[in-house]
Amino acid sequence: METALVVGTGLIGTSVALALREKGVAVHLSDVDAHAVRLARELGAGQEWTGQAVDLALIAVPPHVVGERLAELQRRGAARAYTDVASVKVDPIADARRLGCDLTSYVPGHPLAGRERSGPAAARADLFLGRPWALCPGPETDADAVRRARELVAMCGANAVTMGAGEHDAAVALVSHAPHVAASAVAASLEGGDGVALDLAGQGLRDVTRIAAGDPLLWRMILAGNALQVAGVLDGIAADLAAAASALRTGDLDDVTDLLRRGVDGHGRIPGKHGGPARDYAVVQVVLRDRPGELARLFNAAGLAEVNVEDVRLEHSTGLPVGVAEMSVRPEDTDRLAEALRFHGWHVPPVPDGPRRTLGMVTN
């Protein structure tokens, strides 16, 4: 691909443009918001579109206007092939068909990536690295259009997953849309919490409510396009919560215990970072002082020990100048990492045996 057009310079569109620019693609930008185009251009995402034809046009607009944008672009002969990034697929495809769009050159798509922040200022060229990117070509879609869409996905560092539009919408209802509503419900319950209660908030609450910080108007449009699928998943979640509440009132906690066990099993089904079943890792917890260079020292020690840190997350202590870094490593690497950390000045308690073990608290 040598040329591309990005229509819609929000978070996703600008992130795609930045990724393509890193691959040497000439990117043109278009948006009804002139300020957004200007900001994306200043970020290095490309140049404003003046009507020239390109190899591929990416439509990064809300789901309910994808069909209209596709029809407009095809009337202008804007590209050889077209794709979109809307988080629902059935309704945009139906709109495109109703508007008489050429479906042979259109590959419906959806990158499973995002951030709580929106707009071009939040864009990142690496937003899609290692992330799944659904492609939902129809029976009439031309093979060349699919090839161009898959090339786009590869250039963004994502992994293409081909599926049907209905299958896609059911899947995202389960793994994205309903979880967002559930997280918002938990976060909404905090509105009535007093300052003393919120001062006790830990990383668990932040993890559960993180996605609730998304743009409500954008999510309203997303949920409207997948309403029945999301409602079905929420019915199941609501039934579980109602049963748990009833059990807690009566003191019979069998239903609660069953829910907690099913939660563990369901969490275990979430694929690991490389896809496939999640692996069991040991977690090394390290207390970090709030001073420059602490994380660099920690990762340098792991690197010198030739230990790959599979994952890391930071938990901040409210009101204290310290935080906790949780480093996930392969269980067979824990002894070597512990020895390296001791050598570099951290105190490491004895390492217990067994999978998914935690090395206690490491301080320096």
Side-chain angles (χ1 to χ4, degrees):
M1 183 193 314
E2 297 181 356
T3 57
L5 167 63
V6 172
V7 179
T9 50
L11 168 65
I12 300 299
T14 304
S15 293
V16 170
L18 290 171
L20 294 180
R21 291 291 299 127
E22 287 192 350
K23 300 297 184 182
V25 177
V27 179
H28 303 275
L29 307 169
S30 175
D31 199 303
V32 294
D33 184 346
H35 173 73
V37 172
R38 184 166 60 252
L39 180 53
R41 189 179 68 242
E42 291 172 354
L43 292 170
Q47 298 298 317
E48 190 165 355
W49 185 49
T50 56
Q52 58 270 65
V54 298
D55 295 324
L56 178 72
L58 176 97
I59 303 171
V61 299
H64 69 282
V65 292
V66 167
E68 294 177 11
R69 292 292 181 274
L70 177 62
E72 293 170 5
L73 292 169
Q74 288 186 337
R75 281 196 296 269
R76 299 181 65 174
R80 295 178 176 85
Y82 304 83
T83 187
D84 73 294
V85 297
S87 58
V88 293
K89 298 272 68 89
V90 170
D91 283 358
I93 294 171
D95 289 343
R97 192 182 302 278
R98 175 177 55 81
L99 292 169
C101 294
D102 173 18
L103 298 184
T104 65
S105 62
Y106 170 47
V107 184
H110 175 212
L112 276 295
R115 302 181 67 186
E116 293 75 53
R117 297 168 56 203
S118 60
R124 292 171 16 189
D126 64 353
L127 184 66
F128 311 103
L129 290 181
R131 302 297 301 168
W133 190 311
L135 295 176
C136 306
E140 63 273 87
T141 308
D142 184 75
D144 184 66
V146 175
R147 178 187 63 79
R148 293 180 189 277
R150 293 184 69 89
E151 184 181 10
L152 167 73
V153 173
M155 284 185 165
C156 290
N159 301 316
V161 180
T162 301
M163 58 177 55
E167 181 185 12
H168 166 274
D169 286 3
V172 294
L174 177 65
V175 303
S176 176
H177 300 168
H180 189 97
V181 177
S184 296
V186 175
S189 72
L190 303 177
E191 284 191 312
D194 59 32
V196 174
L198 294 176
D199 283 343
L200 299 178
Q203 192 62 37
L205 181 64
R206 293 184 179 91
D207 288 345
V208 170
T209 60
R210 178 183 61 81
I211 57 176
D215 181 353
L217 294 180
L218 173 62
W219 272 96
R220 174 179 173 171
M221 289 185 286
I222 291 172
L223 295 171
N226 205 20
L228 294 181
Q229 297 279 13
V230 177
V233 178
L234 290 177
D235 282 341
I237 295 173
D240 277 338
L241 293 176
S246 177
L248 289 168
R249 290 191 183 93
T250 63
D252 181 4
L253 299 188
D254 287 346
D255 284 345
V256 178
T257 304
D258 177 66
L259 176 60
L260 297 175
R261 286 173 176 160
R262 287 190 289 119
V264 171
D265 292 341
H267 181 269
R269 296 197 63 200
I270 298 174
K273 69 173 187 175
H274 298 300
R279 291 187 56 181
D280 285 340
Y281 293 119
V283 178
V284 182
Q285 293 183 316
V286 184
V287 174
L288 300 178
R289 302 297 176 185
D290 188 9
R291 58 192 182 193
E294 282 291 273
L295 273 176
R297 291 179 58 235
L298 189 63
F299 287 123
N300 184 60
L304 291 173
E306 298 184 346
V307 172
N308 184 50
V309 178
E310 302 287 344
D311 198 3
V312 64
R313 75 175 192 172
L314 297 177
E315 179 175 348
H316 300 284
S317 300
T318 304
L320 295 176
V322 296
V324 177
E326 295 187 344
M327 305 169 67
S328 296
V329 300
R330 295 179 303 177
E332 60 267 30
D333 290 338
T334 53
D335 291 339
R336 190 161 73 254
L337 179 59
E339 183 179 348
L341 292 176
R342 292 191 187 103
F343 178 81
H344 288 279
W346 278 280
H347 169 69
V348 182
V351 180
D353 295 325
R356 284 190 175 273
R357 57 188 185 266
T358 299
L359 301 186
M361 198 68 73
V362 185
T363 59
N364 186 355

